Amino acid sequence: MADIPLQVISENSVSERRITPSWSITQLKRKLEPVTGIPPSCQRISLKTASKETIPVEAADEDTTLLSSFPLSAYVELHIVDTRPANARVNLNDTSGVDKYVMPAEEYERKSDSVLAWKKAEKLGRFNPDAPSLEKAKIDAFDSEIKSRGIEVGKRCRVGGDDSRRGEIKYVGEVKEIPGSIGAWVGVQLDEPVGKNDGSIGGTRYWGTESALKHGVFVRPERVEAGDWPVLDDLEDMEEI
């Protein structure tokens, strides 16, 4: 009789396995131990048929009772329950006590098939001989943008060309809490709570006090228009009633 593919399901694993109907229940349990981690004597097996009926896979004599005596069909579920007390089971999902291999930095640097080796070969990131000059050019460009736009702390401004995002410039400079960023950022306290923060980022406060309202935002200089941008009067355009 041909093997039948079944879905074997236990607390710690789900896998497709081919089951031979001529196996006895005892043989099945022995073969399931390395799959589920449950000793044969602690396995309670049930078969969930295509019609969703649950049938216990058990017998008075499991050494001679064959699996062919059960309604096996392709891809039905075979559920294995661990009958041991919870404190007697091995927690296969807990890796905290497992020794982990950490490759020494010197050995990693000597490898020729690593990401580091690829970056060196392609002259990327810190391995780019032009990286310092490119970084300085980027910083200088931000500084030039700040000067040309007249961006200064205390000035009124508009952010991103959006007339509803007006506010006051509260900070100009680097924000090290923004990952991978170099050069100056502009911190703006918006008139309305439509920002991203309250003047702090990554645990560092750049202005103001803690607030649940998000009036603060950090943007690059090219998104800031400094000038005469007074607070919008919501009632200005309303008709008299």
Side-chain angles (χ1 to χ4, degrees), residues 133-154:
S133 58
L134 292 173
E135 185 172 297
K136 185 178 185 304
K138 192 172 183 179
I139 293 173
D140 290 344
F142 285 133
D143 291 341
S144 176
E145 196 78 33
I146 288 170
K147 291 176 183 177
S148 66
R149 289 176 175 267
I151 296 172
E152 297 176 7
V153 172

Side-chain angles (χ1 to χ4, degrees), residues 163-190:
D163 209 40
S164 65
R165 288 165 64 86
R166 297 185 181 190
E168 181 181 336
I169 299 171
K170 291 289 189 178
Y171 174 81
V172 179
E174 289 192 355
V175 181
K176 298 187 182 300
E177 292 74 22
I178 299 177
S181 69
I182 60 170
W185 291 81
V186 182
V188 179
Q189 176 81 2
L190 299 171

Side-chain angles (χ1 to χ4, degrees), residues 36-212:
T36 64
I38 305 171
S41 60
C42 302
Q43 295 177 18
R44 185 169 69 240
I45 305 175
S46 61
L47 184 70
K48 197 169 190 178
T49 66
S51 61
K52 304 302 181 184
E53 181 185 2
T54 300
I55 300 174
V57 180
E58 58 187 14
D61 185 358
E62 296 189 344
D63 290 338
T64 59
T65 303
L66 304 183
L67 298 181
S68 56
S69 60
F70 297 91
L72 300 178
S73 60
Y75 301 109
V76 298
E77 297 177 356
L78 196 65
H79 290 259
I80 299 88
V81 175
D82 192 339
T83 60
R84 291 174 295 179
N87 59 1
R89 301 174 193 170
V90 178
N91 187 351
L92 300 176
N93 294 318
D94 182 10
T95 60
S96 60
V98 179
D99 291 335
K100 299 174 180 64
Y101 173 72
V102 179
M103 182 180 292
E106 299 79 10
E107 183 179 343
Y108 180 65
E109 289 178 0
R110 290 195 298 268
K111 290 180 68 66
S112 60
D113 57 350
S114 65
V115 173
L116 182 66
W118 175 73
K119 285 186 173 181
K120 286 180 180 178
E122 298 295 326
K123 295 182 171 56
L124 298 176
R126 60 191 171 95
F127 303 109
N128 184 347
D130 298 325
S133 58
L134 292 173
E135 185 172 297
K136 185 178 185 304
K138 192 172 183 179
I139 293 173
D140 290 344
F142 285 133
D143 291 341
S144 176
E145 196 78 33
I146 288 170
K147 291 176 183 177
S148 66
R149 289 176 175 267
I151 296 172
E152 297 176 7
V153 172
K155 280 190 174 183
R156 293 285 303 173
C157 69
R158 182 174 73 166
V159 176
D162 186 347
D163 209 40
S164 65
R165 288 165 64 86
R166 297 185 181 190
E168 181 181 336
I169 299 171
K170 291 289 189 178
Y171 174 81
V172 179
E174 289 192 355
V175 181
K176 298 187 182 300
E177 292 74 22
I178 299 177
S181 69
I182 60 170
W185 291 81
V186 182
V188 179
Q189 176 81 2
L190 299 171
D191 298 330
E192 300 295 330
V194 292
K196 301 291 186 181
N197 53 68
D198 63 352
S200 68
I201 184 170
T204 301
R205 179 158 297 283
Y206 287 86
W207 74 86
T209 57
E210 185 176 350
S211 173

Side-chain angles (χ1 to χ4, degrees), residues 231-239:
V231 178
L232 289 173
D233 184 356
D234 293 337
L235 302 177
E236 186 177 7
D237 295 329
M238 291 183 65
E239 296 181 0

Side-chain angles (χ1 to χ4, degrees), residues 209-221:
T209 57
E210 185 176 350
S211 173
L213 299 177
K214 295 182 178 181
H215 283 268
V217 66
F218 291 91
V219 294
R220 287 300 195 181

